């Protein structure tokens, strides 16, 4: 009997982990990725000093067992997020921020040595680049003669025995047409399934020194009043390259990059003093402008709403179409750990 043809849609952490787990079972799968880059919501860029800057997923903890086990298996080291020193919390813009220290007993967060893309690149190296097709946006799935016909935006057609989607469910039902149609109950559910961090704006500021640490600040700030809502030290683990990184108020997506940057630097000067103006470079990523991650919801959807819903465990198109992706996971949906959990759940069915 010829090997069944398995296609995985999306080369983010879920898609790559499924391909890797299937490969370990001796099963071959082909990945189709719409973007010209791989990794999806994982994207590490390099600053001018070579400092790694996470534009997407960054942190994990002991509460993320599937991810920790995979990192151990792939021998990828990780390190503790720096939090010691004075942290700042701003409630109102006209009142100076309150100072506090994060207790040593607080649960530890980790970052991957060399950046989260290390995990993506390691999986790609295991799977083999020849099994991954970039710039291949899937736009239609059709059940024909007991197989699934996959059509891409460029007009390519692939014939599959099994298809595994790893798109966030909300994105899946907005971008791919299905023949026959998916059940109405699934369409309605997917439209109300939140895509974790899809609305977020990540920023980083690179510096020649970690002047905040020298002044006994941790680099951690929280604000309910200014553009930077949450920020952490983002320096390299060997303390030789320096940056601050965090999340901006999502409502500032209507501003230009320069306008956001100006507000960010002004806030950093207000919190840490004039030295904050001596930055090397400013970086940002507005995830709500990334149509391969986020499309607007019809109605307000709450964070993690419908994540891990039981309906995502069903198999569609006469037992040939599987739904996966972090948002379908039953453990830590939305997170990297969820992506691996979702991948394990699919791989266990083959
Ligand atoms: C800003 C931000 C910060 C985050 N921080 C953390 C964190 O600190 N810790 C944590 O654990 N998690 C975090 N996450 C979540 C984490 O990134 C995700 O859980 C994980 O990366 C999801 O992987 P995935 O493969 O399921 O989905 P995705 O990464 O979204 O992958 C889906 C893939 O499908 C591709 N695609 C889309 N449409 C099509 C199409 N039509 N045809 C073919 N391919 C298509 C996309 O380009 C993408 O590569 C963060 C996410 C963001 C955006």
């Amino acid at each position: 009997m010829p090997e069944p043809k398995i296609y995985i849609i999306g080369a983010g952490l879920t898609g790559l982990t499924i391909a890797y787990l299937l490969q370990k079972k001796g099963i071959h799968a082909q990945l189709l990725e719409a973007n010209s880059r791989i990794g999806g919501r994982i994207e590490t860029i390099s600053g001018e000093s070579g400092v790694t800057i996470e534009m997407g997923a960054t942190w994990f903890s002991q509460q993320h067992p599937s991810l920790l086990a995979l990192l151990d298996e792939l021998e990828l080291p990780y390190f503790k997020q720096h939090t010691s020193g004075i942290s700042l919390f701003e409630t109102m813009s006209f009142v100076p921020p309150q100072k506090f220290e994060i207790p040593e007993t607080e649960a530890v967060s980790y970052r991957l040595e060399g950046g989260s893309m290390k995990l993506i690149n390691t999986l790609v190296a295991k799977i083999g680049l020849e099994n991954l097709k970039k710039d291949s946006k899937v736009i239609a799935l059709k059940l024909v003669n007991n197989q699934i016909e996959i059509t891409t935006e460029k007009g390519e057609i692939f014939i599959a025995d099994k298809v595994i989607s790893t798109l966030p469910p909300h994105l899946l039902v907005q971008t791919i047409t299905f023949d026959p149609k998916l059940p109405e109950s699934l369409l309605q559910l997917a439209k109300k399934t939140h895509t974790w961090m899809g609305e977020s704006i990540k920023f980083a500021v690179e510096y020649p020194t970690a002047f905040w640490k020298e002044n006994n600040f941790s680099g951690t700030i929280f604000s309910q009043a200014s553009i930077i809502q949450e920020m952490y030290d983002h320096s390299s683990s060997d303390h030789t390259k320096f940056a601050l990184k965090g999340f901006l108020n999502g409502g500032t997506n209507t501003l230009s990059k320069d306008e956001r940057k100006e507000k960010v630097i002004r806030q950093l000067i207000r919190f840490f003093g004039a030295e904050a103006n001596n930055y090397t470079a400013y970086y940002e990523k507005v995830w709500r402008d990334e149509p391969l991650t986020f499309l607007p919801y019809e109605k307000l959807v709450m964070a993690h709403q419908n994540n891990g819903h039981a309906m995502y465990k069903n198999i569609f198109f006469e037992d040939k179409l599987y739904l996966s992706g972090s948002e379908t996971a039953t453990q830590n949906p939305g997170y990297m750990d969820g992506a691996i959990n979702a991948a394990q759940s699919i791989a266990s069915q083959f």
Side-chain angles (χ1 to χ4, degrees):
M1 256 224 336
E3 248 189 59
K5 278 212 158 114
I6 303 170
Y7 280 84
I8 300 169
I9 311 177
L13 183 56
T14 306
L16 294 168
T17 307
I18 294 171
Y20 169 65
L21 296 176
L22 290 180
Q23 189 188 57
K24 285 211 301 181
K25 290 179 145 188
I27 302 169
H28 174 256
Q30 180 73 35
L31 285 136
L32 298 175
E33 167 56 52
N35 214 333
S36 53
R37 67 167 187 88
I38 47 160
R41 279 174 280 168
I42 293 179
E43 186 179 5
T44 311
I45 60 170
S46 218
E48 289 183 20
S49 63
V51 64
T52 55
I53 293 174
E54 304 293 0
M55 284 298 158
T58 310
W59 298 282
F60 49 95
S61 71
Q62 290 296 337
Q63 269 69 54
H64 295 162
S66 302
L67 174 63
L68 291 176
L70 183 63
L71 296 179
D72 282 351
E73 180 178 326
L74 299 174
E75 297 178 3
L76 293 173
Y78 45 90
F79 66 102
K80 197 172 153 276
Q81 168 67 47
H82 173 85
T83 52
S84 57
I86 298 164
S87 298
L88 299 170
F89 177 51
E90 182 187 48
T91 49
M92 288 174 278
S93 58
F94 49 87
V95 178
Q98 296 160 24
K99 295 180 176 175
F100 69 101
E101 288 206 33
I102 295 171
E104 286 290 321
T105 50
E106 186 89 339
V108 173
S109 283
Y110 304 113
R111 291 168 51 198
L112 202 58
E113 194 73 61
S116 303
M117 272 307 278
K118 264 270 163 78
L119 173 56
I120 296 294
N121 292 334
T122 305
L123 288 170
V124 171
K126 298 264 180 205
I127 297 159
L129 259 184
E130 66 281 9
N131 298 313
L132 203 166
K133 214 167 171 321
K134 291 192 269 189
D135 299 306
S136 299
K137 182 177 180 186
V138 174
I139 56 165
L141 295 178
K142 187 176 180 183
L143 196 56
V144 186
N145 296 333
N146 217 21
Q147 289 182 307
I148 300 180
E149 186 183 274
I150 306 170
T151 308
T152 68
E153 202 169 42
K154 286 195 267 180
E156 289 167 299
I157 290 184
F158 303 95
I159 304 294
D161 294 303
K162 306 264 182 190
V163 171
I164 304 159
S165 164
T166 68
L167 272 53
H170 178 257
L171 190 68
L172 175 73
V173 299
Q174 308 292 320
T175 48
I176 298 184
T177 58
F178 297 87
D179 182 6
K181 284 197 165 58
L182 290 176
E184 188 57 29
S185 52
L186 176 70
L187 293 178
Q188 290 308 323
L189 174 72
K191 283 183 188 172
K192 290 186 219 125
T193 299
H194 186 253
T195 303
W196 182 233
M197 290 285 171
E199 303 93 333
S200 67
I201 307 177
K202 267 259 174 123
F203 82 100
V205 188
E206 185 180 358
Y207 285 97
T209 63
F211 67 90
W212 57 94
K213 285 193 206 170
E214 287 155 22
N215 297 331
N216 199 27
F217 286 110
S218 62
T220 304
I221 65 177
F222 297 103
S223 171
Q224 296 172 337
S226 304
I227 185 163
I228 304 173
Q229 293 195 320
E230 194 179 332
M231 187 184 80
Y232 303 90
D233 176 84
H234 204 55
S235 304
S236 59
S237 61
D238 62 0
H239 309 290
T240 57
K241 304 177 190 95
F242 312 104
L244 292 166
K245 190 209 69 169
F247 299 91
L248 301 183
N249 181 326
T252 62
N253 68 310
T254 51
L255 302 180
S256 70
K257 180 179 176 183
D258 281 347
E259 286 168 329
R260 280 190 293 268
K261 173 181 162 182
E262 202 233 302
K263 283 178 186 289
V264 165
I265 301 300
R266 233 190 302 140
Q267 186 180 347
L268 291 176
I269 293 172
R270 206 153 45 76
F271 280 38
F272 295 137
E275 279 172 285
N277 206 21
N278 301 331
Y279 59 92
T280 312
Y282 170 82
Y283 308 89
E284 64 167 33
K285 179 140 183 152
V286 182
W287 282 91
R288 69 160 68 228
D289 292 344
E290 294 290 319
L292 295 175
T293 295
F294 179 83
L295 289 172
Y297 300 102
E298 272 172 24
K299 290 199 184 116
L300 179 71
V301 172
M302 306 304 283
H304 294 300
Q305 188 173 327
N306 287 319
N307 281 193
H309 195 285
M311 212 188 290
Y312 293 125
K313 292 276 173 279
N314 295 345
I315 310 170
F316 300 88
F317 273 30
E318 297 173 2
D319 279 349
K320 290 175 183 53
L321 172 63
Y322 298 72
L323 304 186
S324 189
S326 183
E327 277 67 23
T328 69
T330 43
Q331 169 188 297
N332 290 319
Y335 296 91
M336 291 187 278
D337 189 63
I340 296 171
N341 181 260
Q344 287 167 338
S345 155
I346 294 290
S348 69
Q349 297 173 62
F350 283 79

